[in-house]
Amino acid sequence: MSEKGILEFKALRSVESCLFHRCCLTLERHFGLNFEKIQKIKGSKVETVFYQSEDLNSTLMFKYHIASKAITIEIDSPTFLKTMSFEDMQDLAKLIQMEHEQDLGFPNQSDSWQQLPILQLGQSFNQYLTTSDGRVIQYGFKSRVFHDQSKYQTIDIYDTEDHGKILLLDGVVNLAENDTKAYTEILLGLPKNEEQFNQKRVLILGGGDGGLLKSLLTLTHPPSQIDMVEIDEKVMTACSTHIPSICEPYLSQRSGPNFNVITGDCFRYLEVAQGSGTKFDAIICDLTDIPLTENGTTHPHFELSQRALQESRTLLDQGGKYLTHCNGINVPSSVGNFKTMLKSIVKDRAQIIMRSSFVPSFHEVWTFFELEMK
């Protein structure tokens, strides 16, 4: 198991070779690490020096950014950083800074250095995921309680410090135990629009975690009938077994007086429903961010979202609702394009409402759309 720590601080004058050497001496004197220089690369913008420990297990890399006079120090060690705390990293940065400033005759300036986060590499599973706009988030995964590869996707469930159990599909967070209000209820428009489901017929496209199903069935006045169509049997089984607080007892039962869970392609279901003249009062699209087809191939999110709305709107009468999730609010172009796509399909035949909510396990504000047919 290897971990990497990165320290960054501003140099007070042009870097000389003795500066890198003294950093190595500081690490040797205070932390028992002995490094020898193995390579130096001097570019027009960045000067890089590589060092390696005597036991060949640890590396040290200095980068001097000439224009900004900033120095980045990266330490990659299987033993040294594994037990190093945040406070230790701060102390190390201060120690290196003070030694150089004192040596050069400059007073200590606390704002002349900056510590970057410790990156924990070489773990048995990845702790780092990204938001919709590419920001890196480190999750507090305590353990991986489930891992499997279905015909359609990779399924992981982790136990976390912050969010309880959390479901990932193909490495993307789908839902956590503490997301039911922020994600599931906002998608449904609850509690404000609870009455719109009272004794109504509802169709859920996707929703394999069972969160939407449970939220609807536990309403004071639930729908008269819910059909849920999910393509991946393994997702439903995993959630039923490992995240029962989100979906049970309904997902394991699969059917009841007013609900039916169908394992299959939702587009085939829509086709059959169109042929039989079936109508719904509300259709909820909760397909994954990378929606799947029955043969295991993937399609762009907008393409399948567009198809889902096109085929669903014929099953909704006047006043019928179509509910769907979209994307993070920090990707305004994506959200804007999604809304444009919705408008291009329904034109002036539906009222479009956008909602947003900070979803804890997503670490960002997520957007949702509700379309009411005119």
Side-chain angles (χ1 to χ4, degrees):
M1 183 180 296
S2 175
E3 301 191 18
K4 178 178 288 186
I6 301 177
L7 308 176
E8 182 178 284
F9 56 91
K10 296 285 185 178
L12 296 177
R13 70 174 190 181
S14 297
V15 169
E16 299 176 355
S17 59
C18 65
L19 186 60
F20 297 138
H21 178 64
R22 285 191 58 81
C23 285
C24 290
L25 291 178
T26 299
L27 290 167
E28 179 180 350
R29 183 161 52 248
H30 296 279
F31 297 96
L33 283 178
N34 299 305
F35 286 98
E36 295 182 359
K37 184 165 71 175
I38 57 174
Q39 188 178 14
K40 180 177 180 179
I41 303 173
K42 188 169 184 179
S44 59
K45 296 182 179 180
V46 180
E47 179 180 338
T48 306
V49 182
F50 297 92
Y51 290 80
Q52 192 169 46
S53 62
E54 291 180 345
D55 62 6
L56 306 181
N57 288 326
S58 302
T59 58
L60 180 63
M61 180 174 68
F62 294 95
K63 284 186 176 181
Y64 173 56
H65 307 269
I66 297 171
S68 62
K69 295 185 178 180
I71 303 170
T72 301
I73 304 173
E74 296 188 15
I75 309 168
D76 195 342
S77 171
T79 55
F80 172 58
L81 291 172
K82 185 167 67 174
T83 58
M84 196 173 191
S85 68
F86 178 84
E87 290 77 14
D88 291 333
M89 289 293 289
Q90 286 184 315
D91 291 342
L92 174 58
K94 289 179 180 178
L95 191 61
I96 292 173
Q97 179 199 9
M98 286 190 295
E99 290 212 2
H100 294 307
E101 291 179 348
Q102 290 171 2
D103 182 60
L104 297 172
F106 290 99
N108 179 37
Q109 299 178 17
S110 60
D111 62 348
S112 62
W113 66 274
Q114 174 189 1
Q115 181 194 335
L116 301 180
I118 300 173
L119 303 180
Q120 298 176 329
L121 306 179
Q123 303 290 313
S124 56
F125 46 81
N126 180 31
Q127 291 273 353
Y128 299 93
L129 302 174
T130 56
T131 59
S132 60
D133 58 333
R135 287 171 289 130
V136 177
I137 303 293
Q138 181 175 4
Y139 282 72
F141 294 149
K142 294 191 295 185
S143 62
R144 183 164 63 185
V145 298
F146 180 82
H147 172 76
D148 198 4
Q149 177 69 49
S150 74
K151 176 183 176 181
Y152 309 102
Q153 56 204 334
T154 302
I155 308 163
D156 289 293
I157 297 176
Y158 293 94
D159 191 11
T160 73
E161 295 286 357
D162 303 318
H163 312 293
K165 302 285 178 51
I166 186 170
L167 170 68
L168 275 69
L169 299 177
D170 284 336
V172 177
V173 174
N174 272 244
L175 195 70
E177 287 184 293
N178 68 341
D179 289 338
T180 52
K181 289 187 179 295
Y183 181 92
T184 308
E185 292 190 6
I186 299 300
L187 173 56
L188 293 173
L190 300 176
K192 181 180 178 181
N193 297 332
E194 180 172 344
E195 190 59 30
Q196 72 181 0
F197 297 109
N198 183 8
Q199 292 301 301
K200 304 295 185 179
R201 183 164 190 182
V202 178
L203 172 63
I204 301 173
L205 306 179
D209 52 66
L212 288 168
L213 179 66
K214 181 174 181 176
S215 292
L216 289 169
L217 289 171
T218 52
L219 291 175
T220 304
H221 303 290
S224 59
Q225 177 62 34
I226 303 171
D227 287 348
M228 172 180 147
V229 188
E230 164 62 41
I231 199 170
D232 201 332
E233 170 66 33
K234 286 192 174 183
V235 170
M236 293 190 285
T237 302
C239 291
S240 175
T241 303
H242 299 286
I243 324 180
S245 64
I246 290 179
C247 57
E248 287 304 297
Y250 309 104
L251 201 55
S252 61
Q253 293 174 355
R254 299 299 173 96
S255 64
N258 62 338
F259 74 97
N260 186 30
V261 177
I262 302 159
T263 304
D265 188 334
C266 66
F267 292 103
R268 285 194 176 185
Y269 180 93
L270 290 171
E271 183 181 349
V272 172
Q274 289 169 348
S276 64
T278 304
K279 294 289 184 178
F280 295 91
D281 299 294
I283 298 178
I284 306 161
C285 181
D286 194 31
L287 300 173
T288 59
D289 288 339
I290 307 175
L292 309 164
T293 60
E294 202 166 41
N295 62 7
T297 60
T298 62
H299 291 278
H301 179 48
F302 277 19
E303 182 180 314
L304 244 61
S305 297
Q306 182 177 21
R307 182 182 172 192
L309 175 56
Q310 286 173 332
E311 299 192 17
S312 295
R313 66 192 178 102
T314 62
L315 306 179
L316 294 166
D317 286 328
Q318 182 179 3
K321 300 289 186 69
Y322 182 83
L323 310 169
T324 183
H325 73 98
C326 179
N327 208 335
I329 203 167
N330 286 312
V331 217
S333 60
S334 175
V335 176
N337 290 337
F338 192 86
K339 187 174 184 178
T340 299
M341 179 269 290
L342 297 178
K343 287 182 176 180
S344 70
I345 295 173
V346 298
K347 303 188 186 305
D348 60 350
R349 296 190 294 274
Q351 179 185 4
I352 300 176
I353 299 172
M354 188 182 88
R355 292 189 285 267
S356 62
S357 171
F358 180 83
V359 181
S361 73
F362 293 7
H363 289 272
E364 62 180 316
V365 175
W366 207 251
T367 56
F368 308 85
F369 284 93
E370 174 183 313
L371 285 69
E372 181 174 354
M373 302 301 161
K374 297 180 180 179

